[in-house]
Amino acid sequence: MRNRSWCFALLLYFAFCSRIEAFKFHRTQQTERISGSAGDVLEDNPVGRLKVFVYELPSKYNKKILQKDPRCLTHMFAAEIFMHRFLMSSPVRTLNPEEADWFYTPVYTTCDLTPNGLPLPFKSPRMMRSAIQLISSNWPYWNRTEGADHFFIVPHDFAACFHYLEEKAIERGILPMLQRATLVQTFGQQNHVCLKDGSIIIPPYAPPQKMQAHLIPPSTPRSIFVYFRGLFYDVGNDPEGGYYARGARASVWENFKDNPLFDISTEHPTTYYEDMQRAVFCLCPLGWAPWSPRLVEAVIFGCIPVIIADDIVLPFADAIPWEDIGVFVAEKDVPKLDTILTSIPIDEILRKQRLLANPSMKQAMLFPQPAQERDAFHQILNGLARKLPHDESVYLKPGEKILNWTAGPVGDLKPW
């Protein structure tokens, strides 16, 4: 039986090798513009369509935290820092809160890192509550709407649920103080307590300059069929297995570790970025959360993302046609990955590559310094602009209260 499986894998491999020349030939093809409303949305310019007031908070909520640990500038949650910097000099910023459409509170809730560089979310709820108490005491604008015209960047694994384990995040739920605000977050999964209606889903931060430094000539053939580097098991946090990535990553390893079409490993080589540019498909499976920086890296490097995360809500889904540029594989279908990917016609693969080569597509996934037109900063502003004008129901009647300031775990109510 094992010999039969090997023969089948080799046949697939040789079939793929016979198609490599086609990929070599088409690597330098023209890009393809995204058609329809998605393309129009991607190219929108938010300047002139909204005004944002940035609260000036004491530096203990942002700058001092960053000074204490500059690693926060390079981790995948850094969007909260760079969005703050962008807004401070953005033409959409207003110094007059009376003319503002939106209010932004710059709180760096993920900049509390372990020695390994992982964010600890345990102080985040108290920090966020403290910031909201401050703005509600010193300015009248929060109290007019209880935050319904405010937005917050919450790039934790499970956003404003503030925990890195899903079952704990679900148990906590979204911080009660943020129930009316618009949340700008990396986490997105349908019908999940940590994603509320109206949230804006953004890509995780990936260092633009670092990726730019690893670009290889576009004529380089894509000689790797399927590529993945990362964990398949998390023994430290999931010793019994099956919980991490809902078993999807383990299934990839168990089914394809010996398949010649699959270049997969836990090793993270120095040529990681270059290897992605040599691959046709890049696996983007869920981990502890459904999202990861691999999605950004795949788009930037023109590697067709194979998204394995049931019910995921993807970044800027109204602007980026994910169905056209990626391949979606249900978690239960991971054992059939080889058959699914080798069954995709070459013409379809080449069209996905042309769309991925569109500069606007790549730009929308990045937080460059300085900001550039159509980048992720501008896509966030576009998302906020499309929510305007605010409905009258946003504004509370005199004396009306909706939020319960004492709700949530007791530990969250302690001073920060």
Side-chain angles (χ1 to χ4, degrees), residues 6 99 138 152 178 204 236 263 290 295 316 322 338 359 405:
W6 260 102
E99 67 176 19
N138 293 356
F152 294 82
L178 296 176
D263 187 346
L295 195 65
F316 308 134
W322 290 104
D338 52 353
W405 286 60

Side-chain angles (χ1 to χ4, degrees), residues 204-245:
Y205 178 79
Q209 291 84 357
K210 183 179 177 183
M211 290 190 287
Q212 182 75 25
H214 287 268
L215 289 175
I216 62 177
S219 58
T220 306
R222 292 192 179 270
S223 54
I224 301 169
F225 192 56
V226 181
Y227 188 75
F228 176 78
R229 291 294 184 272
L231 289 177
F232 297 99
Y233 306 90
D234 189 344
V235 178
N237 295 299
D238 182 27
E240 297 180 7
Y243 185 70
Y244 176 62

Side-chain angles (χ1 to χ4, degrees), residues 73-145:
L73 284 168
T74 56
H75 69 41
M76 70 181 87
F77 306 95
E80 62 184 358
I81 298 168
F82 291 112
M83 190 67 188
H84 180 200
R85 291 182 175 183
F86 163 72
L87 284 171
M88 293 301 285
S89 58
S90 170
V92 305
R93 184 188 179 195
T94 177
L95 300 179
N96 178 7
E98 291 297 331
E99 67 176 19
D101 301 297
W102 289 99
F103 296 82
Y104 168 64
T105 309
V107 188
Y108 299 171
T109 57
T110 62
C111 192
D112 181 14
L113 306 181
T114 67
N116 292 332
L118 301 174
L120 291 169
F122 306 119
K123 297 177 185 175
S124 303
R126 288 161 46 211
M127 183 182 181
M128 188 68 82
R129 282 180 57 89
S130 174
I132 293 172
Q133 287 169 337
L134 179 69
I135 64 173
S136 66
S137 301
N138 293 356
W139 289 273
Y141 307 105
W142 173 275
N143 298 318
R144 294 187 315 189
T145 66

Side-chain angles (χ1 to χ4, degrees), residues 23-218:
F23 288 112
K24 285 182 183 177
F25 177 78
H26 286 284
R27 275 298 295 264
T28 56
Q29 274 196 349
Q30 292 184 343
T31 65
E32 184 170 327
R33 186 187 183 275
I34 301 152
S35 61
S37 60
D40 296 336
V41 169
L42 192 63
E43 296 173 7
D44 274 351
N45 185 354
V47 176
R49 297 167 55 212
L50 78 166
K51 293 183 178 181
V52 176
F53 179 77
V54 180
Y55 287 112
E56 292 190 27
L57 300 186
S59 60
K60 69 175 184 176
Y61 291 99
N62 40 62
K63 293 177 184 175
K64 278 191 176 178
I65 297 173
L66 180 56
Q67 288 170 0
K68 182 180 174 183
D69 197 338
R71 291 179 301 166
C72 298
L73 284 168
T74 56
H75 69 41
M76 70 181 87
F77 306 95
E80 62 184 358
I81 298 168
F82 291 112
M83 190 67 188
H84 180 200
R85 291 182 175 183
F86 163 72
L87 284 171
M88 293 301 285
S89 58
S90 170
V92 305
R93 184 188 179 195
T94 177
L95 300 179
N96 178 7
E98 291 297 331
E99 67 176 19
D101 301 297
W102 289 99
F103 296 82
Y104 168 64
T105 309
V107 188
Y108 299 171
T109 57
T110 62
C111 192
D112 181 14
L113 306 181
T114 67
N116 292 332
L118 301 174
L120 291 169
F122 306 119
K123 297 177 185 175
S124 303
R126 288 161 46 211
M127 183 182 181
M128 188 68 82
R129 282 180 57 89
S130 174
I132 293 172
Q133 287 169 337
L134 179 69
I135 64 173
S136 66
S137 301
N138 293 356
W139 289 273
Y141 307 105
W142 173 275
N143 298 318
R144 294 187 315 189
T145 66
E146 289 195 321
D149 53 358
H150 289 55
F151 69 94
F152 294 82
I153 314 295
V154 281
H156 278 278
D157 286 323
F158 291 96
C161 289
F162 294 123
H163 209 287
Y164 57 85
L165 294 177
E166 184 172 19
E167 61 182 24
K168 295 289 186 183
I170 291 171
E171 184 181 313
R172 287 186 53 84
I174 292 172
L175 188 69
M177 308 281 286
L178 296 176
Q179 290 289 350
R180 284 174 58 80
T182 289
L183 303 180
V184 179
Q185 59 187 68
T186 45
F187 172 77
Q189 182 172 316
Q190 297 172 26
N191 305 313
H192 198 285
V193 299
C194 299
L195 176 64
K196 72 186 192 71
D197 288 346
S199 296
I200 296 173
I201 308 302
I202 64 172
Y205 178 79
Q209 291 84 357
K210 183 179 177 183
M211 290 190 287
Q212 182 75 25
H214 287 268
L215 289 175
I216 62 177

